[in-house]
């Protein structure tokens, strides 16, 4: 099968055209949070834990955005394959409106009750103080992030993955520079500590959005429409749009909630475990962007083929993408296991306890990595790209709430296990997910033309 992948030039060309820019963009986007964590390590364990918990709020927010935009991506790619550009524009307009609405809600909550939100995760006064201060500031960037998500997914779904990548690249360097200025008080800027990291993020997200908006208007491609047409109501189309997008939003909402609950369990293990998991996950997520790149490419290619009524080709691409995902995941897991310890040494001022806990966590993540990448391609790329939204939703809900979270509760509340053993028990969720999704994909029942 690997030989067939290599010989399928069209598959490789189409996949690389989208996956490479999406992967590079994901690498940069992931680097933003890793950069914050890396710079914050100089301020102590409480700062790492506080910023890490505050970023869980952003993670939950981004999961909802991811649900909106990936659901929209299914429609946009299928409409684009069908050359129905009017519906492409309408899909983008509804994506923007929903994304901004969610951002306003999260911003309002973060500004109104930041301490109460952080206190849900951990009972440590200093961590709550640090985390709430960071959360108040960084929430100002949420609406710009929502707009960037919406425009970026629209561009990728119509074959333009280059512009979102460039915008993320600009955002990354801006974030690095302004983090340095405001965290440590350089170049005449005030020394603001963790709040400075938030200021850097705000400026970076603003630049990213402005660049995407400029290109959208300047190129006047299949996504472009005047502002009124993008925001005007079309109840008939919205009903059609919501049938596809709503299950994906709910899936990401409840999946994101599950991840937040996992972090609450980690916090119950202790402050050191909370800090360790933030550091380990920031490293793991830097590699996971390869999975997101392949999954994103699979969504667009499969959706476009189904929209063009090339069903057999869509099935062939799905199988090849899954095999490629498992292979890449195995290689990435090996990297985490072999190079995890040297990478951790780059994070200065980690206490010995945090360092060793993070190292053991990376080993567990590495062991299960090929399954995690396989599932990303199968759920986000194949099932969603093929329009099998309801099955994807049911599968995610079952594995998260009937497997993963019960395992977390047993590990922490009953057996009182350390972080790495807790993570190993939670990872059984991924194994079940793979065993259920594979027969579905092989059966072709996942192929549904939504246009």
């Amino acid at each position: 099968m690997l030989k067939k992948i290599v010989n399928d030039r069209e598959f490789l060309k189409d996949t690389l055209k989208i996956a490479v820019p999406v992967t590079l963009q994901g690498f940069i986007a992931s680097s933003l949070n890793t950069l914050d964590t890396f710079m914050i390590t100089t301020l102590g364990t409480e700062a790492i834990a506080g910023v890490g918990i505050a970023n869980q709020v952003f993670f939950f927010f981004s999961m909802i955005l991811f649900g909106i935009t990936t659901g929209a991506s299914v429609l946009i790619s299928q409409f684009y394959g069908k050359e129905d550009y009017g519906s492409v524009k309408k899909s983008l307009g509804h994506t923007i409106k929903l994304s901004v609405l969610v951002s306003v809600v999260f911003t309002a909550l973060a500004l109104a009750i930041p301490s109460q939100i952080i206190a849900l995760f951990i009972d440590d006064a200093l961590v709550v103080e640090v985390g709430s201060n960071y959360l108040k500031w960084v929430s100002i960037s949420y609406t710009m992030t929502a707009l960037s998500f919406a425009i970026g997914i629209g561009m990728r779904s119509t074959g333009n993955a280059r512009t979102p990548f460039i915008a993320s690249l600009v955002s990354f360097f801006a974030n690095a520079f302004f983090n340095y200025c405001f965290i440590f008080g350089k170049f005449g800027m005030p020394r603001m500590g963790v709040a400075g990291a938030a200021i850097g993020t705000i400026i970076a997200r603003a630049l990213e959005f402005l660049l995407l908006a400029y290109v959208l208007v300047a190129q006047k491609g299949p996504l472009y429409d005047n502002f009124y047409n993008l925001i005007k109501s079309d109840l008939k189309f919205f009903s059609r749009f919501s049938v596809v997008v709503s299950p994906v939003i709910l899936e990401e909402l409840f999946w994101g909630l599950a991840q937040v609950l996992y972090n609450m369990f980690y916090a119950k293990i202790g402050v050191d475990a909370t800090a360790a998991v933030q550091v380990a996950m920031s490293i793991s997520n830097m590699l996971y962007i390869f999975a997101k790149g392949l999954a994103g490419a699979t969504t667009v290619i499969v959706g476009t083929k189904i929209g063009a009524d090339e069903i057999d080709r869509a099935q062939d691409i799905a199988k090849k993408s899954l095999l490629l995902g498992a292979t890449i995941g195995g290689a990435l897991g090996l990297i985490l296991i072999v190079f995890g310890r040297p990478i951790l040494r780059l994070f200065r001022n980690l206490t010995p306890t945090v360092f060793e806990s993070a190292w053991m966590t990376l080993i567990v993540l590495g062991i299960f990595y090929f399954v995690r990448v396989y599932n990303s391609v199968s759920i986000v790329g194949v099932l969603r790209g093929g329009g099998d939204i309801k099955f994807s939703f049911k599968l995610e809900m079952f594995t998260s709430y009937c497997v993963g979270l019960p395992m977390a509760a047993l590990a922490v509340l009953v057996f009182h296990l350390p972080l790495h053993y807790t993570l190993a028990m939670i990872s059984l969720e991924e194994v079940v997910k793979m065993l259920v999704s594979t027969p579905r994909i092989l059966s072709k029942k996942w192929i549904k033309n939504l246009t």
Side-chain angles (χ1 to χ4, degrees):
M1 189 66 174
L2 281 174
K3 186 177 180 180
K4 289 183 179 180
I5 292 175
V6 174
N7 292 334
D8 191 339
R9 299 295 177 85
E10 181 191 3
F11 169 73
L12 288 176
K13 180 183 176 182
D14 290 346
T15 300
L16 291 175
K17 180 183 176 182
I18 300 172
V20 171
V22 171
T23 297
L24 291 173
Q25 182 190 359
F27 178 79
I28 293 165
S30 179
S31 296
L32 291 178
N33 284 340
T34 303
L35 189 64
D36 281 354
T37 302
F38 182 77
M39 290 186 172
I40 290 299
T41 54
T42 62
L43 303 180
T45 299
E46 287 78 12
I48 300 172
V51 172
I53 290 173
N55 277 332
Q56 288 305 306
V57 178
F58 175 78
F59 171 78
F60 190 42
F61 165 60
S62 67
M63 284 299 97
I64 299 175
L65 291 184
F66 188 68
I68 295 170
T69 55
T70 53
S73 178
V74 175
L75 282 173
I76 293 173
S77 60
Q78 289 197 12
F79 282 130
Y80 187 67
K82 193 178 180 181
E83 298 184 358
D84 183 355
Y85 300 132
S87 295
V88 167
K89 300 177 197 294
K90 289 179 181 179
S91 297
L92 176 63
H94 288 303
T95 305
I96 289 173
K97 286 185 286 187
L98 277 177
S99 299
V100 169
L101 177 62
V102 171
S103 73
V104 170
V105 171
F106 271 81
T107 301
L109 290 173
L111 291 173
I113 52 171
S115 298
Q116 292 89 328
I117 292 173
I118 302 298
L120 290 173
F121 293 83
I122 195 166
D123 184 19
D124 185 293
L126 186 54
V127 173
V128 169
E129 180 183 354
V130 171
S132 61
N133 186 34
Y134 178 83
L135 181 60
K136 281 190 297 185
W137 280 100
V138 82
S139 66
I140 298 170
S141 71
Y142 286 177
T143 297
M144 291 176 288
T145 301
L147 289 165
S148 295
F149 263 62
I151 298 172
I153 201 68
M155 289 179 171
R156 288 195 295 272
S157 299
T158 53
N160 179 11
R162 182 171 175 266
T163 299
F165 160 63
I166 293 173
S168 291
L169 189 65
V170 171
S171 178
F172 172 76
F173 284 110
N175 189 247
F177 175 73
F178 288 107
N179 267 11
Y180 180 71
C181 290
F182 287 104
I183 292 175
F184 305 112
K186 304 296 183 179
F187 300 109
M189 302 299 180
R191 181 183 177 90
M192 300 179 67
V194 294
I199 297 295
T201 299
I202 293 169
I203 297 172
R205 296 294 186 188
L207 290 173
E208 181 180 26
F209 161 65
L210 290 173
L211 181 55
L212 288 170
Y214 171 77
V215 173
L216 177 68
V217 174
Q219 288 188 344
K220 293 182 170 58
L223 293 169
Y224 175 75
D225 208 342
N226 64 59
F227 181 73
Y228 172 74
N229 285 337
L230 282 177
I231 65 168
K232 74 177 182 181
S233 297
D234 184 338
L235 295 180
K236 184 178 179 181
F237 187 85
F238 180 73
S239 176
R240 186 180 183 185
F241 179 84
S242 62
V243 166
V244 176
V245 175
S246 295
V248 184
I249 296 173
L250 288 173
E251 181 180 332
E252 291 299 330
L253 177 66
F254 284 106
W255 185 86
L257 177 60
Q259 306 312 303
V260 172
L261 292 173
Y262 288 142
N263 278 278
M264 288 183 175
F265 281 116
Y266 301 146
K268 288 184 180 297
I269 300 173
V271 174
D272 285 342
T274 302
V277 78
Q278 299 306 323
V279 173
M281 286 298 186
S282 68
I283 295 171
S284 172
N285 290 339
M286 290 287 287
L287 297 181
Y288 192 63
I289 47 90
F290 291 98
K292 289 185 176 181
L294 180 57
T298 303
T299 301
V300 174
I301 297 169
V302 165
T304 301
K305 295 301 180 185
I306 293 173
D309 205 29
E310 298 178 25
I311 305 304
D312 289 338
R313 182 56 172 159
Q315 176 74 2
D316 181 52
I317 289 169
K319 291 179 180 178
K320 289 175 178 175
S321 296
L322 288 172
L323 180 59
L324 189 58
T327 304
I328 292 173
L332 295 176
L334 189 61
I335 289 172
L336 279 180
I337 294 170
V338 174
F339 298 104
R341 199 172 186 89
I343 293 172
L344 280 171
R345 292 196 181 99
L346 297 175
F347 290 78
R348 296 180 294 169
N349 297 336
L350 294 180
T351 65
T353 302
V354 172
F355 184 95
E356 290 302 321
S357 181
W359 161 231
M360 295 302 295
T361 300
L362 286 175
I363 291 176
V364 173
L365 289 170
I367 291 170
F368 288 95
Y369 220 75
F370 84 96
V371 185
R372 187 182 175 200
V373 175
Y374 179 96
N375 288 335
S376 178
V377 176
S378 68
I379 300 295
V380 178
V382 178
L383 295 179
R384 289 188 190 172
D388 200 10
I389 308 297
K390 291 182 180 179
F391 182 84
S392 171
F393 171 71
K394 292 175 183 177
L395 178 58
E396 289 277 27
M397 294 307 96
F398 172 75
T399 52
S400 293
Y401 289 90
C402 297
V403 181
L405 285 171
M407 289 294 102
L410 282 173
V412 176
L413 302 180
V414 178
F415 300 127
H416 307 289
L417 297 177
L419 177 63
H420 56 283
Y421 285 128
T422 298
L423 189 62
M425 288 183 66
I426 291 171
S427 296
L428 294 175
E429 167 195 345
E430 299 288 348
V431 176
V432 174
K433 193 181 298 182
M434 180 178 71
L435 293 174
V436 175
S437 67
T438 302
R440 177 74 173 187
I441 293 169
L442 294 176
S443 72
K444 288 190 178 182
K445 292 179 180 179
W446 59 275
I447 299 176
K448 302 179 187 299
N449 194 322
L450 304 174
T451 63

